[in-house]
Amino acid sequence: MNKLSGEKSFLDHLEEFRMVIIKIAVCLIILFPVAFWVSSPAIDFLKESSFPENITLKYFSPMELFFVRMKVGLMIAFFIGLPYIAYQVWQFVVPGLYRHERFWIFYMAIISWALFLGGALFGFYFILPAVMRFALGMQTASVEPAIGVSNFIGLATMLMFGFGVMFQFPIVIFILTASGLVDVRFFKKQRMLMLILILVLAAILTPPDIISQALMAIPTYLLFELGLLFGLLAAKCKPKKIKTMPEEEEAVEPEKDNYDEIYGRK
């Protein structure tokens, strides 16, 4: 019945979702050999960008470096294949959206990805070197650092991912205010509560040291203030001004005519 009416059943959607997962997995499998080969220069680049020249990374078990390169290679493969992955996800989601929903989701996704990338680059170029300089500055004549490659990559990943997530604040505030779930005046009145929330999130998403937590919390709060400007913009957005698709208007019009005929309205 659903197929005759042009609608798809739950199992049809589940099958489409399974195909999307398979296509994404195949994409990562194809890209992974190249990404694994690139992982070694990528680790060297991370190290050279964060350490003085006289510091070397170490690994403390025979297979540690191999598994680190596997993890880095998988992340590189995902980053390279992201346009294809995003396209597959979009193709799965877009049939169930109206035109104005496609518009907002498409541009919000682009802005969100740009903010995430900006946050990751900020964490890599500014925060990671500052944290490593602080850590290396604590060595003494009798205590020298022996930094493992696994710990270093884990720290770099945590900082880059954490800053990418925290840079989503403007988008989150815009979505909450544009959808009507939260009034922008609520955020203005709860600045102190939001500051505490940012500090808690910074403590979760960064290593347990006050330097990296402060370096994450300060720019995130500034992004929260930027999000308030986004919220003011969202408050001016009126859904009734969004143009509907011609086929939507055609689908609504016959119902209106039928309604008028039933109640004898002209």
Side-chain angles (χ1 to χ4, degrees), residues 127 131 154-155 157-163 166 198-217 220:
I127 307 304
V131 171
L155 173 64
T157 303
M158 180 185 297
L159 286 175
M160 294 170 67
F161 179 78
F163 274 90
M166 297 296 277
I198 289 172
L199 291 173
V200 172
L201 290 175
I204 295 174
L205 295 173
T206 59
D209 64 86
I210 191 64
I211 300 299
S212 58
Q213 293 172 10
L215 291 174
M216 175 176 283
T220 302

Side-chain angles (χ1 to χ4, degrees), residues 19-257:
M19 291 304 301
V20 169
I21 297 299
I22 291 175
K23 291 178 181 179
I24 292 175
V26 171
C27 173
L28 294 178
I29 291 172
I30 293 174
L31 293 174
F32 181 76
V34 177
F36 182 80
W37 179 72
V38 176
S39 63
S40 183
I43 294 173
D44 293 339
F45 177 74
L46 282 173
K47 181 264 175 188
E48 293 171 1
S49 302
S50 308
F51 287 98
E53 293 182 359
N54 59 337
I55 299 294
T56 59
L57 295 175
K58 299 175 175 61
Y59 60 97
F60 303 100
S61 64
M63 298 301 292
E64 180 181 353
L65 183 59
F66 172 76
F67 288 116
V68 170
R69 290 189 60 185
M70 289 277 290
K71 180 170 67 174
V72 174
L74 184 60
M75 290 188 291
I76 294 174
F78 180 82
F79 182 79
I80 296 174
L82 188 60
Y84 178 80
I85 295 172
Y87 174 76
Q88 291 298 326
V89 174
W90 178 254
Q91 288 295 106
F92 175 75
V93 173
V94 72
L97 302 176
Y98 292 110
R99 184 177 182 180
H100 64 277
E101 292 173 336
R102 298 174 193 173
F103 172 84
W104 284 110
I105 292 177
F106 179 76
Y107 284 102
M108 286 297 101
I110 292 177
I111 296 173
S112 176
W113 169 244
L115 287 173
F116 184 89
L117 184 60
L121 291 175
F122 180 81
F124 169 68
Y125 281 108
F126 297 100
I127 307 304
L128 182 60
V131 171
M132 297 314 303
R133 285 195 299 268
F134 173 77
L136 294 175
M138 292 188 296
Q139 65 177 318
T140 63
S142 58
V143 180
E144 295 182 351
I147 301 174
V149 61
S150 180
N151 293 332
F152 171 69
I153 294 299
L155 173 64
T157 303
M158 180 185 297
L159 286 175
M160 294 170 67
F161 179 78
F163 274 90
V165 171
M166 297 296 277
F167 271 48
Q168 302 300 306
F169 254 84
I171 294 295
V172 173
I173 295 176
F174 179 85
I175 292 175
L176 290 176
T177 52
S179 62
L181 294 175
V182 182
D183 194 298
V184 68
R185 290 173 293 184
F186 169 81
F187 290 111
K188 289 183 176 180
K189 294 178 181 179
Q190 302 297 329
R191 277 187 167 94
M192 184 57 64
L193 179 63
M194 295 304 299
L195 178 59
I196 295 175
L197 176 61
I198 289 172
L199 291 173
V200 172
L201 290 175
I204 295 174
L205 295 173
T206 59
D209 64 86
I210 191 64
I211 300 299
S212 58
Q213 293 172 10
L215 291 174
M216 175 176 283
I218 293 173
T220 302
Y221 182 79
L222 296 178
L223 285 170
F224 165 71
E225 294 293 338
L226 177 63
L228 293 181
L229 298 179
F230 276 57
L232 293 175
L233 175 62
K236 298 179 182 180
C237 297
K238 302 295 182 181
K240 63 182 181 180
K241 293 182 179 181
I242 299 175
K243 296 182 179 180
T244 57
M245 296 178 64
E247 54 266 26
E248 294 175 20
E249 296 176 353
E250 293 175 0
V252 174
E253 193 63 27
E255 296 179 3
K256 182 178 180 181
D257 294 339

